[in-house]
Amino acid sequence: MPLTVAVQMDPIARIRIAGDSTFALLLEAQARGHRLLHYTPDRLRLSGSRLETMAEPLEVKDVAGDHARLGEPALVDLSTVDVVLLRQDPPFDLAYITTTHLLERIHPRTFVVNDPRAVRDAPEKLFVMDFPELMPPTLVARDRAAIEAFRREHGDVVMKPLYGFGGAAVFKVGPNDPNFGSLFDLFSATLREPWVIQKFLPAVSRGDKRIILVDGEARGAVNRVPSGDDIRSNMVRGGAARETELTPREREICERIGPELARRGLLFVGIDVIDGYLTEINVTSPTGVRAIKMLGGPDLAVAIWDAIEAKRPAR
């Protein structure tokens, strides 16, 4: 049965479709005959008990530069649509958190993917700390004495903002690094939240594996290899996508966390694994769908839409 699908995302005209997972989901939804609506999060409004937005009818095609056709915007009561895709990119700030509070008012009658409460309750670098046995040694703190003690114990570490994204402001710091004091001052002046300090894994040079889980089940993966001497493997930072298979350890990680993802309503999740260690659980706007298909893997947009259609409550 055709559905009405509203996608909450950044302006579609700006996206790079070759690597955009949201665009892959839109292509598959359109191929299934679903009606698409596009809106940006700043257009949400709560009018009494009604959650509304100005949204445009959307048609997509897989042609860079001519990938989206938008119709005339109209006011839409989001309780009347069948599915909302919560797909704007971080930062995970108060504006993002507010959209989850608003969307929670219509979910699950309007099926929001991912569940907005679960997204709000699972900050990506904190949620992963629910599984410390799967992770490298990790500290979340901004206290200098605690950070220096962690460095003395573990040697080379990576420091990054707790709510950072896309590989921004990720630093490798050695045990006797003369830049640590300046970096600590910089983080203290620019960030109010704690930071993540994690034991450095040298095997990152061989890749940081992004594994996609659909309704708690591992369905595909891509290995992201850093460029040159950069420690960041994010493809927006120049990382290269490589074909890969899951190791027994990676399957064990997925089997350990999968049931909790499904229980929370986190239907589309991307986890990051380096050298058999879980480092992040990405729930806001995971990427990797198009890269996996491009490298000969499955079209995970199909699996995601199969899961949405199966789990969406009947109206």
Side-chain angles (χ1 to χ4, degrees):
M1 178 181 72
L3 305 175
T4 298
V5 178
V7 57
Q8 178 174 307
M9 64 182 295
D10 302 309
I12 195 167
R14 301 181 192 169
I15 67 172
R16 298 175 61 183
I17 67 172
D20 195 279
S21 293
T22 303
F23 192 72
L25 294 177
L26 294 173
L27 286 172
E28 179 61 22
Q30 182 173 270
R32 293 177 182 227
H34 300 328
R35 173 176 175 247
L36 300 179
L37 299 172
H38 165 273
Y39 72 94
T40 51
D42 58 292
R43 299 188 210 168
L44 282 174
R45 61 178 79 166
L46 186 62
S47 178
S49 62
R50 292 193 310 276
L51 182 62
E52 302 171 333
T53 188
M54 293 296 293
E56 302 101 346
L58 171 65
E59 295 181 6
V60 291
K61 60 180 178 178
D62 204 359
V63 178
D66 189 25
H67 57 275
R69 300 283 176 91
L70 295 171
E72 289 298 316
L75 187 63
V76 174
D77 180 347
L78 285 174
S79 71
T80 67
V81 310
D82 297 296
V83 177
V84 169
L85 299 178
L86 174 53
R87 290 292 303 174
Q88 83 259 26
D89 288 337
F92 188 71
D93 54 12
L94 282 175
Y96 206 122
I97 289 169
T98 299
T99 70
T100 68
H101 282 291
L102 296 176
L103 291 172
E104 192 178 350
R105 292 171 175 264
I106 59 170
H107 178 78
R109 187 172 185 273
T110 293
F111 192 49
V112 183
V113 181
N114 286 318
D115 180 313
R117 174 180 288 185
V119 170
R120 184 174 68 246
D121 290 349
E124 296 171 342
K125 295 178 180 65
L126 277 177
F127 178 31
V128 68
M129 299 289 282
D130 286 5
F131 308 96
E133 73 280 7
L134 304 177
M135 298 180 65
T138 302
L139 174 70
V140 176
R142 62 181 290 130
D143 177 75
R144 181 162 183 165
I147 296 170
E148 289 182 335
F150 186 89
R151 293 173 63 220
R152 286 194 297 272
E153 180 178 359
H154 296 291
D156 290 346
V157 301
V158 171
M159 287 181 60
K160 52 189 175 182
L162 181 60
Y163 296 114
F165 62 98
V170 176
F171 295 90
K172 178 187 175 186
V173 181
N176 299 302
D177 197 318
N179 292 307
F180 172 73
S182 295
L183 182 60
F184 180 89
D185 291 344
L186 176 64
F187 272 40
S188 297
T190 57
L191 301 169
R192 295 184 63 189
E193 69 269 17
W195 321 315
V196 177
I197 304 92
Q198 198 163 68
K199 182 178 179 179
F200 176 67
L201 301 173
V204 70
S205 63
R206 301 195 297 272
D208 177 352
K209 195 170 293 187
R210 164 58 56 87
I211 304 171
I212 301 296
L213 293 94
V214 180
D215 199 23
E217 181 181 348
R219 301 299 294 267
V222 59
N223 195 35
R224 303 170 301 175
V225 180
S227 173
D229 58 359
D230 200 327
I231 65 167
R232 301 171 301 173
S233 59
N234 311 69
M235 286 183 274
V236 295
R237 304 294 172 186
R242 298 285 185 264
E243 184 180 359
T244 190
E245 298 288 338
L246 296 187
T247 66
R249 168 63 173 173
E250 290 160 352
R251 292 191 182 278
E252 176 188 343
I253 290 171
C254 294
E255 289 167 4
R256 171 73 176 82
I257 69 174
E260 181 63 14
L261 301 180
R263 186 189 71 80
R264 293 185 179 218
L266 294 168
L267 187 146
F268 175 18
V269 172
I271 67 170
D272 297 337
V273 178
I274 302 172
D275 196 25
Y277 290 99
L278 178 67
T279 60
E280 289 191 15
I281 301 176
N282 298 277
V283 304
T284 50
S285 185
T287 61
V289 169
R290 300 214 88 183
I292 290 168
K293 182 180 179 182
M294 177 189 69
L295 292 168
D299 185 350
L300 296 184
V302 173
I304 293 165
W305 272 107
D306 285 347
I308 291 172
E309 292 174 357
K311 296 182 77 67
R312 182 185 67 87
R315 283 185 176 268

